[in-house]
Structure formats: structure tokens, C-alpha cells
Amino acid sequence: MITSNRVRWHLGRVISRQFETGSAVRLELAVPTWPGNDAGAHLDIRLTAPGGYQASRSYSLASSGESTRVVLVVQELPGGEVSPFLVRQLAEGEEVEVQGPLGRFFVWIPAEPEQSPVQLIAGGSGVVPLFSMASARERELSFGCCTRSAVRAMSSSLTNWQSSHEPSSRLSTRASQHLERAGHLDG
Amino acid sequence: MTVINSGFGGRGGSSDPRLPPGQTHVYDWPVLSTGPTPNVDESRWSFTITTEDQVAHRWNWSELQEVGVEDIVTDIHCVTHWSKLDMAWRGVPIDRLFEDVETSYDYVMVRSYGGYTTNLPLEDLLDGQAWVATEAEGEPLRPEHGGPARLLVPHLYFWKSAKWVRGMEMMPSDDPGFWEQNGYHLRGDPWREERYW
């Protein structure tokens, strides 16, 4: 349980970047002062332009535990200000400022003996914090996600998750053509 | 320790002076919620202020309207980094609701239908700083935005402006509400970037 750490700013360096889909990138950051985070936590990224202009956004973490490596999966919002930079431009070796770990409500703390079945449900990029929850749980788990075809359920990460957790866990994905607004937090 | 991200241009590269630090101007009105939207009909809505003497000051929907509404134009700032500028609101001033309330306590726990809570010092609710809002942008407040009535405290981050508000309870100390127990700042002044603790 990592909830007692105070939130502060840290300096992170991009260790690796890998496209999960055509418009979503998996970023692994080395953050030497990161205190670790609970599954489901998020962080703020702050970018500073050469002229001093700053922009901050919150992103869910796909990683958890007491590690100084943190993993994000960022979905590009067309016409957005920050996500296109993170998805298309932020290079390996480049530094960014991050604040966290954030969030003590939507977190998974596997403290009790886990008896009851769990169903995780996500839409689009909402699947990201569930990765960290899924990997924090050893027992049976059912994982459903519903995405637009463009997102494709962060395909490679999900495939990896599935192969390492079967047969005790189930993965169901449903790519719906009807969710015109899926993936955008406005509901 | 500011790091310059040399490839980052930002949108225009300058900020509106009405935007607190770390905020981005949005034109839509995002909705963030931790659970289902309570379905609160005006006919069963009421608002109650409870004091340390267990005196309850209660208004039903029509009684609230009779207290008298004000029109407000204000900016709102969400801790998730978006701000919406020049919003038109209509609501009943909290000052009016406290006219007959006798209390020696300095803090308030705001309670909502659905169980949400948030804490505020009384001095952040008085002197024309807060309202029970019933309309936004010229229309009755929709349920997803807290209708039929939400608290409006625009000088603090918007989680303080509790949706589906149903009452206030006086407190002797500044006990944390829902988000305040979950990592968010006890007061939440956007100009001082009081987001987390």
C-alpha cells in the first residue's frame, strides 16, 4: 500500500516509446524520485515550451508498485494540445515534469485475501488504469473492454496481458461501431 | 527544475490572464463523476442547513425560488486542468440562506443526493462568493451537471461546487469531505494551485 506518499513534482526521462495502435503510444519513464504508486493512480504531465508557455494534463498509469519506472499509454486526441506532442514527438531520452502519484479513490489495493470474482470494464483509453489493476491481482479476473476500431483496445498490451494470465482470467473485447464518442471523457 | 520541451509549441503559446496556473481553456463543458447520476425530482428536492443545536433550516423547491435568485457571470476551474470562462449562472445566494442561521462553528460539510460530501470554511461561502445554482447558460441545470441544484463556489476548484446538493451541516473543525479524503486539497484555491496534498 503506497497511499501515504505526499504528492510532489518529479523529473522523468523517456526510456522507451512504442506505438500500441496507430494513435496511442506506450511511454516508459524513468523517474528516480518516484515513490511508487497504487494500481489505478494517475499523474500530471507538465510541458514547457521554449517561450515559457506551460500546459498540464492528467494521464492514467498502466504500472503500479514500488518502482521508479512508470508506464503511460497516451491516446492522441486529434486537434489536442498535449497528446499529439506526447504521441508523435516526445523522444526517447527527453525529460518531462510529472506530478504524482495522484488519486486515492480509483485505486486497487490488494490487501485482503481476494475471494470474490472481479469484472473490469473499460471503454477505449479507459483501459489503461485497468492494466495496472489486472497485474496487481493474482486471482481470477474478467477483463472486458469496448472500443472504437481506431483504438483497438491498446492491442499489443492486451494480448500480452492475456497470454500471461490465462486460463485463470478471461479477456473479452468488443469493438463497437456504435460508440461514436467513445474514448473521450465527456460523459 | 523547469525542463524546456523544445519541440512543444502549445496552442498559440500564450495564456488568457483569466486562467489560473496549469489550467486550459475549454469551450465544451466536461462531466466527471464517480458514480451514477442521482435522479432528483424538483418535487422531492429540499435543501437543509443544520447547526450545532440541531436546528434545521429547510427550503423546498418553491421556497428556494422565493428566497430570490441572482444572475452571475463567472469562470469555473476544474482541478483536472480545464477552465470554462464567462459562464452565465442563476442561483440563490448562500448569504440569504444563512440570514437566520445562528452558529458559532466556522466550517461546513456540504452534502449531496447520492452521498457526495465536500468541506468548506463558512467564510468561503458568504459575502457574495457562493450560490445554490439552478440554471446555467440560460437553461435549468441538467442532471449530469448537478441538476436540479448544485452548489456554486467559483473561486475554488469546481469539486467544491457539489452537484445534486441537498444540505449543509455546520462543523467545529475543517473535516475532509469525499475528494479531500482521497488526496485532494482541503481548500482548493486555483490561483494558488491547491490541487493535491
Side-chain angles (χ1 to χ4, degrees):
Chain A
M1 173 158 173
I2 303 168
T3 48
S4 60
N5 287 305
R6 200 179 168 86
V7 173
R8 50 158 289 198
W9 284 99
H10 306 268
L11 204 51
R13 183 181 296 275
V14 180
I15 297 300
S16 70
R17 51 175 292 129
Q18 173 190 339
F19 275 96
E20 295 282 336
T21 71
S23 59
V25 72
R26 177 186 187 277
L27 297 171
E28 183 174 3
L29 307 179
V31 188
T33 54
W34 189 255
N37 62 274
D38 291 317
H42 63 283
L43 53 62
D44 284 350
I45 289 185
R46 181 166 68 194
L47 301 177
T48 305
Y53 174 81
Q54 294 187 320
S56 301
R57 296 291 188 280
S58 299
Y59 292 99
S60 292
L61 291 165
S63 59
S64 68
E66 298 195 29
S67 171
T68 56
R69 298 283 180 95
V70 301
V71 177
L72 320 174
V73 181
V74 178
Q75 168 76 30
E76 181 177 20
L77 176 67
E81 183 180 36
V82 171
S83 64
F85 173 81
L86 297 179
V87 172
R88 305 288 170 193
Q89 285 181 264
L90 183 68
E92 288 183 6
E94 189 165 351
E95 290 182 315
V96 289
E97 291 177 285
V98 298
Q99 182 176 219
L102 304 176
R104 294 175 210 173
F105 173 66
F106 189 68
V107 290
W108 178 285
I109 301 171
E112 303 295 320
E114 296 175 16
Q115 301 294 335
S116 41
V118 167
Q119 169 74 60
L120 299 173
I121 302 173
S125 59
V127 75
V128 174
L130 304 193
F131 288 144
S132 59
M133 294 183 180
S135 44
R137 181 179 167 90
E138 299 298 321
R139 281 175 48 81
E140 181 183 359
L141 175 108
S142 178
F143 200 155
C145 60
C146 187
T147 70
R148 279 185 305 193
S149 56
V151 181
R152 285 292 178 220
M154 312 299 177
S155 50
S156 60
S157 288
L158 275 176
T159 306
N160 292 339
W161 181 88
Q162 189 169 22
S163 59
S164 63
H165 286 74
E166 280 182 335
S168 64
S169 300
R170 289 187 298 119
L171 173 71
S172 57
T173 58
R174 177 168 176 268
S176 169
Q177 304 305 315
H178 305 296
L179 290 177
E180 296 299 328
R181 307 196 308 162
H184 178 48
L185 180 60
D186 66 353
Chain B
M1 70 169 186
T2 300
V3 172
I4 304 297
N5 300 104
S6 56
F8 178 63
R11 195 182 278 144
S14 66
S15 290
D16 191 306
R18 294 173 294 175
L19 288 178
Q23 294 297 107
T24 297
H25 187 184
V26 300
Y27 296 89
D28 57 350
W29 190 1
V31 172
L32 295 95
S33 191
T34 60
T37 297
N39 184 13
V40 186
D41 193 86
E42 291 169 11
S43 64
R44 70 173 187 91
W45 181 91
S46 69
F47 183 81
T48 307
I49 299 174
T50 310
T51 70
E52 60 268 39
D53 302 318
Q54 302 308 310
V55 176
H57 303 258
R58 182 175 284 117
W59 296 263
N60 66 23
W61 186 257
S62 59
E63 288 165 342
L64 184 85
Q65 313 300 319
E66 288 164 14
V67 173
V69 296
E70 284 182 359
D71 289 321
I72 309 111
V73 176
T74 190
D75 307 332
I76 63 172
H77 310 292
C78 179
V79 71
T80 63
H81 298 284
W82 57 265
S83 292
K84 192 167 169 58
L85 304 178
D86 281 336
M87 280 195 81
W89 292 82
R90 176 169 287 178
V92 175
I94 299 296
D95 293 294
R96 298 290 304 277
L97 300 176
F98 268 86
E99 276 176 0
D100 297 326
V101 174
E102 292 191 16
T103 179
S104 62
Y105 287 176
D106 292 329
Y107 300 97
V108 175
M109 187 65 83
V110 178
R111 298 189 183 277
S112 295
Y113 293 96
Y116 181 77
T117 57
T118 189
N119 59 294
L120 291 128
L122 183 56
E123 65 179 16
D124 274 319
L125 293 170
L126 301 180
D127 298 327
Q129 297 185 95
W131 297 264
V132 172
T134 55
E135 293 183 28
E137 309 285 41
E139 293 178 3
L141 205 52
R142 298 213 309 266
E144 66 266 32
H145 291 300
R150 77 181 295 164
L151 188 62
L152 176 64
V153 196
H155 70 290
L156 299 177
Y157 282 124
F158 215 48
W159 88 79
K160 296 287 186 181
S161 294
K163 298 181 219 179
W164 315 296
V165 68
R166 68 174 175 84
M168 293 178 173
E169 190 178 307
M170 299 308 303
M171 300 190 291
S173 56
D174 201 10
D175 297 340
F178 176 79
W179 282 122
E180 296 84 359
Q181 291 173 44
N182 284 288
Y184 289 85
H185 195 275
L186 214 52
R187 179 152 183 268
D189 181 346
W191 293 98
R192 301 170 68 173
E193 256 199 300
E194 294 173 339
R195 298 177 190 274
Y196 319 112
W197 58 271

